[in-house]
Amino acid sequence: MNGQDQASLSSSANSQASVQPARAAQANRLMAITDRPAAVMERGAGSYLWDESGTRYLDFIQGWAVNSLGHAPDEICKALMLQSRQLITPSPALHNRPQLELAELLTQGSAFAQVHFTNSGAEANEAAVKLARKWGQQNKSGAHQIITTHNAFHGRTLAMMSASGKPGWGQMYPPMPEGFTHVPFGDIDAIRAAITNRTLAVMLEPIQGEAGVVVPPPGYLRELRELTNEHNVLLILDEVQTGIGRTGQLYAHQHESVVPDIMSLGKGIGGGVPLAAVLATEHACCFENGNQGGTYNGNPLMAAVGKSVVETVMAPGFLAGVRAREVQLRAGLIELAREFQLGEVRGQGLLYALALPAGNAVEVCDRAFKRGLLINPARPDTLRFMPSLRVEIEEVRDMLDLLRDCLRA
């Protein structure tokens, strides 16, 4: 190596060394809400992310099941480019074509009559609760109590924290909104016992994602639908994480041929942009002018992206591909569980969890990150996997190989 090369390397090393404190200083400008590694992500493509140093990561988190088509998919890039040149947002008080077309796409041929668009899943769940309580005023003598489940996750607004049933959340920012009763998830008898004349709805996730991918017993949703019909109580399904193909069907409730009165969507419907929705059957549609709104709700830029995502997921063969990769992912996780004497493998579609009896999920995920793999410690004893719905055979295989290396360590 000549002197010029050595000088160049020395300059590069000094430059990198000076960058680290600068990055740390910039990170300190952010309010503390979660632990993040020091790496700064720069770009993504499909199942991969690259940080500013050029390190590549195989991403099996995908923004917490947000990037349904992977990072920077052509469909979304094209929709953003074309729509941004035409109209970004006119006002929620005016119609725009992408919003109308996405609403038609979501409701046509379904049991849902109307849709309201929001920017996040928490907002969609807030709107679902408002809609249900308006319905309760009109049809249940003002009943306002909503039954939800322990360890649920419905968002981080004050009302949704009260609804969620995560330990401690109901008292974190007192005074908290009231009107939510929590029962064990998957226990139909507990819901039956909790229904009173003040109950207007049951609200839950078809699969509890943040709780560690908790799947209810077979037939649970069907029994729940029968129970709510019997008591004239609304069924609200939070499909923010499970909707738009994540479980191998367009919606998770379709696995049991159940139709909720109200359904919330988020995450995957935007494929990476802030878009969510609440849909309702004609029976539950009762909003009037002024009951709900939002400055960015249904803006054409996000709606155009949502339309491209939903059209892609609904295309012939797409969901069959999700189910095929599920078979591979599940088999691979079961093999690892047997090899390392781990716990339960549970999930559906491309939303899966692997239980770790040692309770060392954070340590495993840290080791995975250093090896270029992004996975999520949903719980101290649980790893969660949420790859792109387009994840390829080789990428699932590579993830399993990298995870095996981490478990051996």
Side-chain angles (χ1 to χ4, degrees):
M1 180 182 294
N2 61 36
Q4 186 176 3
D5 289 337
Q6 289 177 330
S8 176
L9 282 175
S10 176
S11 174
S12 176
N14 290 336
S15 175
Q16 282 294 106
S18 66
V19 165
Q20 295 302 327
R23 286 178 179 169
Q26 289 174 335
N28 287 336
R29 301 298 183 189
L30 298 174
M31 291 187 182
I33 60 167
T34 187
D35 287 331
R36 297 184 178 102
V40 178
M41 297 304 160
E42 184 177 52
R43 64 187 177 92
S47 290
Y48 296 95
L49 277 172
W50 286 261
D51 66 22
E52 291 180 338
S53 70
T55 301
R56 188 181 77 164
Y57 303 86
L58 178 57
D59 188 359
F60 267 62
I61 297 176
Q62 290 288 349
W64 276 271
V66 166
N67 302 317
S68 46
L69 306 183
H71 291 284
D74 290 341
E75 296 90 344
I76 290 181
C77 294
K78 181 179 179 181
L80 284 171
M81 180 185 68
L82 294 177
Q83 189 59 46
S84 65
R85 291 175 176 174
Q86 185 170 349
L87 180 64
I88 293 178
T89 185
S91 162
L94 300 170
H95 285 306
N96 68 77
R97 182 55 56 190
Q99 180 187 41
L100 295 174
E101 291 179 348
L102 179 54
E104 178 72 14
L105 183 62
L106 290 170
T107 56
Q108 189 176 41
S110 78
F112 300 107
Q114 294 181 335
V115 56
H116 170 69
F117 294 109
T118 67
N119 310 298
S120 69
E123 289 177 74
N125 285 330
E126 286 267 352
V129 168
K130 290 180 182 179
L131 184 63
R133 286 186 171 165
K134 177 69 179 289
W135 183 88
Q137 293 169 6
Q138 295 180 345
N139 299 279
K140 293 272 291 184
S141 302
H144 68 279
Q145 201 77 15
I146 297 176
I147 298 171
T148 62
T149 58
H150 294 310
N151 296 313
F153 182 85
H154 298 299
R156 294 181 182 273
T157 64
L158 284 176
M160 290 305 101
M161 289 181 73
S162 289
S164 287
K166 292 186 70 172
W169 271 32
Q171 297 81 39
M172 192 174 289
Y173 303 108
M176 299 291 285
E178 300 177 349
F180 301 99
T181 300
H182 304 102
V183 302
F185 182 68
D187 187 339
I188 196 71
D189 291 331
I191 293 179
R192 181 179 290 107
I195 294 176
T196 71
N197 59 4
R198 296 175 61 81
T199 304
L200 72 93
V202 176
M203 178 179 182
L204 50 77
E205 305 155 272
I207 297 172
Q208 288 189 326
E210 298 298 315
V213 192
V214 180
V215 182
Y220 176 65
L221 292 184
R222 282 198 304 273
E223 290 184 75
L224 184 57
R225 178 71 279 186
E226 293 170 2
L227 180 63
T228 53
N229 284 341
E230 177 187 342
H231 289 272
N232 191 28
V233 167
L234 296 178
L235 175 58
I236 306 172
L237 291 185
D238 175 350
E239 293 240 23
V240 169
Q241 189 161 142
T242 56
I244 313 299
R246 177 56 55 182
T247 67
Q249 295 284 357
L250 187 61
Y251 308 125
H253 64 258
Q254 292 175 330
H255 289 282
E256 294 200 8
S257 301
V258 166
V259 177
D261 301 293
I262 302 173
M263 174 180 68
S264 57
L265 297 174
K267 295 186 183 293
I269 191 175
V273 306
L275 177 66
V278 58
L279 293 88
T281 61
E282 187 172 354
H283 171 65
C285 289
C286 58
F287 272 158
E288 298 173 305
N289 291 347
N291 288 168
Q292 179 64 12
T295 303
Y296 300 109
N297 289 174
N299 72 79
L301 190 61
M302 300 301 98
V305 171
K307 181 171 178 284
S308 72
V309 171
V310 175
E311 286 177 339
T312 300
V313 173
M314 293 176 66
F318 186 95
L319 291 174
V322 173
R323 294 189 291 270
R325 293 289 67 73
E326 175 192 8
V327 172
Q328 180 191 8
L329 176 61
R330 180 178 179 84
L333 292 176
I334 289 173
E335 182 180 340
L336 289 177
R338 289 171 178 165
E339 182 178 347
F340 294 96
Q341 297 181 331
L342 304 177
E344 181 184 17
V345 173
R346 55 184 182 265
Q348 196 168 41
L350 289 175
L351 176 61
Y352 261 83
L354 172 61
L356 303 180
N360 59 344
V362 172
E363 180 184 354
V364 172
C365 289
D366 287 345
R367 291 182 177 183
F369 184 85
K370 293 174 183 177
R371 288 167 169 77
L373 172 64
L374 302 181
I375 51 178
N376 171 239
R379 291 286 169 121
D381 62 352
T382 305
L383 300 177
R384 181 169 48 161
F385 307 87
M386 304 163 283
S388 159
L389 300 184
R390 283 174 161 164
V391 67
E392 297 182 0
I393 295 174
E394 295 80 6
E395 293 164 349
V396 175
R397 182 199 62 210
D398 290 347
M399 185 281 293
L400 294 167
D401 288 343
L402 286 167
L403 181 56
R404 177 175 281 105
D405 290 342
C406 296
L407 294 170
R408 282 199 185 114

